[in-house]
Amino acid sequence: MIDMHALLSALQMLGHSWQPWLVIVPGILIGLTVHAVPGLTTSMALAICLPLIPYMDFLQALIFMTAMYGGALFGVAIPAVLLNVPGSAAAVGTTFDGFPMAQAGKHNEALGLALCSSCLGQFLAYLILLALAEPIANFSMKLGPPEMLVVSLWGLALIARLRGRHLARGLLAGVFGLLLGTVGMSAQGAARGTFGMSDLLDGVPLVPAIVGLFAAAELFNLVGRDYIVDDATRRRVDGRRILAGIVETFRHPGTVLRGALLGTGIGVLPGGHAIANLLSYSEARRAARDPERFGKGDPRGIVAAESANASSEGGSMATLLALGIPTGGATAVMLIAFGMHNITGGPAFMRDHKDLVYAVILSSLAQVFFLGVLGFGFIYIAGFTVKVRLRMLVPIVLGLAVIGSYALAQNLAGPLTLGVFAVIGWLMQRFDYPVAAMVVGMLLGRETEGALLRSYQMSGGDLHYFLTRPIALVLLGLLIVSLAWPLLRDRLKRRTRAAVLGDTH
């Protein structure tokens, strides 16, 4: 499956000059820094750096942007662990166990887990892409609205399985999120739920809303406390404990591999990185013998979420390089860089510039080692956050969040959205409604509706049409199995326990 002639040509391109390698370090550092600030996004950073792209050759430009992309995908984990603030929707699952570990004084280990999981996930994703670049391209072309509908439904099924003691409250929060996700112009061109406000025609600003739900709401809860970690002896930043977290990651190879496969596979879809993060977390919890430990500081939760988040980069790059289709804001900006060099992405690019594709993949594999070194130093510095008094930290983080939301929306809609959803998030936490379920609904509401409408238009309302879509049927079967297996497993456990008790009597 690997074109050896193109691979050797790619190695020659990378070894011929040291100039392409110069952009890796600044790219990773920019990505790490941007997403360590709540409200700022990868696409924003890439867009700011676009004026530099014409002054680079095309390979150097691609390496610079992929380095920034890879650094950002790990950068979102830093505020998720230390502040319960997901730097983007792709880090929501990381907060579930990352922040409880930080509160328990295990912030060093949690950051080490996140870093190693991100590096391993990204490395495995690009290995898969190297071996299966052409098959992935062909597979992506077969994914239509019915397949997207099943994947979206799979994501919505997470609502019933996310943490929270009350299933009904989780479902209610998810439905509320779905309603908010459909605010704005519908796929048929009708305005809904805008109350006459033009700022809502494009929908509720997602990033400010998520930052408000998680960041601002959590910061409200921290008011009145002195530090994130109450015990002074646990507030130390210890490189050896970060290394211990890195070593801990290798004790969960199955979780890493499952997250990497899910992230790569779902990353080929629009918005797949956010779904992959939550789906991987949910699947890790489902597969665990002690799922009750998740959400209370279980290392497996961080490993599952971060390996899927990082590996989604490989899937999104496969779609961009093979089909010329961006799966999100970051890859959309990358596609603009293609045009700056008069190159069109898609199947023709894969056919005519296969050596360039392999060069990007090989450089991304090398970037993992740069990310490991730079990321270690970066989290060592970021770890000092737990030593800052909350009376100083809370206003600083809130200020950065407000500035970031304003920069993203380019008007007051961003800060207003952040403020409204901060109150909603605080009320939901106070009355034990799972915020994550609402976020899943918001993320997938519009995608599910659009996929459903296009599937209906293609099928003419005839359900037999799905029988002609084998990939959709396979995905639907996997969805049913993933939902039914926990119930069957619990039933088997009860029967086994009853049998054991019967034998002892």
Side-chain angles (χ1 to χ4, degrees):
M1 295 184 193
I2 298 178
D3 188 329
M4 295 305 299
H5 178 73
L7 182 62
L8 291 174
S9 179
L11 288 170
Q12 186 178 7
M13 291 171 65
L14 292 172
H16 179 70
S17 173
W18 45 265
Q19 289 183 348
W21 300 98
L22 290 179
V23 297
I24 291 180
V25 171
I28 290 175
L29 288 176
I30 292 172
L32 286 171
T33 305
V34 165
H35 259 313
V37 179
L40 301 185
T41 65
T42 314
S43 53
M44 185 187 302
L46 286 167
I48 291 172
C49 294
L50 270 180
L52 301 174
I53 299 303
Y55 298 97
M56 304 178 185
D57 63 54
F58 188 55
L59 176 60
Q60 190 178 31
L62 282 180
I63 291 175
F64 176 64
M65 290 190 291
T66 54
M68 197 185 304
Y69 194 13
L73 286 176
F74 166 64
V76 297
I78 296 173
V81 169
L82 295 177
L83 299 168
N84 201 29
V85 180
S88 76
V92 170
T94 309
T95 64
F96 297 164
D97 286 286
F99 190 63
M101 285 188 71
Q103 287 183 308
K106 296 182 179 180
H107 50 280
N108 295 287
E109 291 86 344
L111 290 170
L113 283 161
L115 174 62
C116 189
S117 302
S118 292
C119 290
L120 290 175
Q122 185 175 331
F123 189 79
L124 290 172
Y126 275 105
L127 276 183
I128 295 170
L129 182 55
L130 179 65
L132 303 175
E134 293 188 38
I136 287 175
N138 295 331
F139 177 75
S140 299
M141 295 182 70
K142 296 178 182 178
L143 296 177
E147 289 75 24
M148 293 292 295
L149 175 61
V150 177
V151 171
S152 297
L153 290 174
W154 200 336
L156 290 174
L158 296 174
I159 291 173
R161 291 164 52 184
L162 289 173
R163 64 177 184 173
R165 292 179 297 170
H166 308 288
L167 176 61
R169 294 183 183 182
L171 293 175
L172 182 60
V175 171
F176 183 45
L178 278 173
L179 292 175
L180 290 174
T182 56
V183 168
M185 298 295 293
S186 72
Q188 294 176 306
R192 303 167 305 183
T194 62
F195 298 98
M197 292 183 282
S198 59
D199 289 328
L200 291 177
L201 287 175
D202 291 329
V204 176
L206 192 58
V207 173
I210 292 177
V211 171
L213 285 169
F214 282 96
E218 186 60 44
L219 292 173
F220 289 164
N221 292 330
L222 293 176
V223 171
R225 292 173 54 182
D226 288 332
Y227 296 94
I228 294 174
V229 180
D230 295 323
D231 189 349
T233 62
R234 295 184 174 183
R235 288 200 290 265
R236 292 186 299 111
V237 180
D238 191 337
R240 288 177 296 181
R241 292 175 62 186
I242 296 173
L243 286 173
I246 292 174
V247 173
E248 172 74 18
T249 308
F250 291 96
R251 296 175 184 168
H252 309 288
T255 305
V256 172
L257 182 59
R258 180 171 53 242
L261 292 174
L262 284 171
T264 306
I266 299 176
V268 303
L269 307 175
H273 59 286
I275 303 174
N277 177 265
L278 290 166
L279 182 59
S280 178
Y281 181 90
S282 179
E283 288 301 304
R285 182 181 179 183
R286 179 192 61 78
R289 294 181 179 179
D290 48 354
E292 67 280 355
R293 290 181 55 189
F294 281 73
K296 300 176 182 178
D298 194 312
R300 292 170 295 179
I302 299 177
V303 172
E306 279 305 300
S307 59
N309 176 28
S311 60
S312 66
E313 179 189 352
S316 61
M317 289 302 296
T319 306
L320 177 68
L321 296 173
L323 303 178
I325 299 173
T327 59
T331 46
V333 178
M334 289 186 187
L335 195 59
I336 296 173
F338 276 64
M340 288 182 169
H341 286 269
N342 297 316
I343 294 176
T344 302
F349 176 74
M350 284 284 292
R351 183 185 64 247
D352 301 334
H353 303 280
K354 196 175 295 183
D355 54 348
L356 197 57
V357 172
Y358 281 129
V360 171
I361 295 173
L362 292 174
S363 70
S364 296
L365 289 171
Q367 287 171 25
V368 172
F369 299 99
F370 286 93
L371 177 60
V373 175
L374 295 172
F376 185 89
F378 194 85
I379 63 176
Y380 192 86
I381 297 171
F384 283 94
T385 302
V386 296
K387 291 190 172 185
V388 180
R389 287 186 177 274
L390 286 174
R391 63 188 180 193
M392 295 175 59
L393 188 63
V394 168
I396 290 173
V397 174
L398 276 176
L400 290 173
V402 170
I403 293 170
S405 62
Y406 181 83
L408 191 65
Q410 295 295 311
N411 53 42
L412 289 176
L416 289 174
T417 302
L418 185 145
V420 169
F421 279 86
V423 175
I424 293 174
W426 179 77
L427 289 172
M428 291 181 70
Q429 289 184 11
R430 181 176 176 82
F431 294 102
D432 200 21
Y433 282 83
V435 173
M438 178 176 167
V439 171
V440 172
M442 291 179 66
L443 287 172
L444 297 177
R446 189 174 293 273
E447 285 78 3
T448 305
E449 181 192 27
L452 178 62
L453 177 61
R454 290 189 292 273
S455 298
Y456 177 80
Q457 291 172 338
M458 291 173 64
S459 65
D462 186 1
L463 292 177
H464 291 93
Y465 172 75
F466 282 88
L467 298 177
T468 66
R469 312 285 296 197
I471 296 177
L473 291 175
V474 170
L475 292 173
L476 185 61
L478 292 173
L479 167 60
I480 294 172
V481 169
S482 69
L483 291 176
W485 172 244
L487 300 176
L488 293 174
R489 184 184 60 189
D490 292 343
R491 188 173 181 180
L492 288 172
K493 282 183 178 179
R494 286 195 298 269
R495 284 188 176 182
T496 303
R497 190 180 301 112
V500 171
L501 291 175
D503 291 339
T504 55
H505 293 299

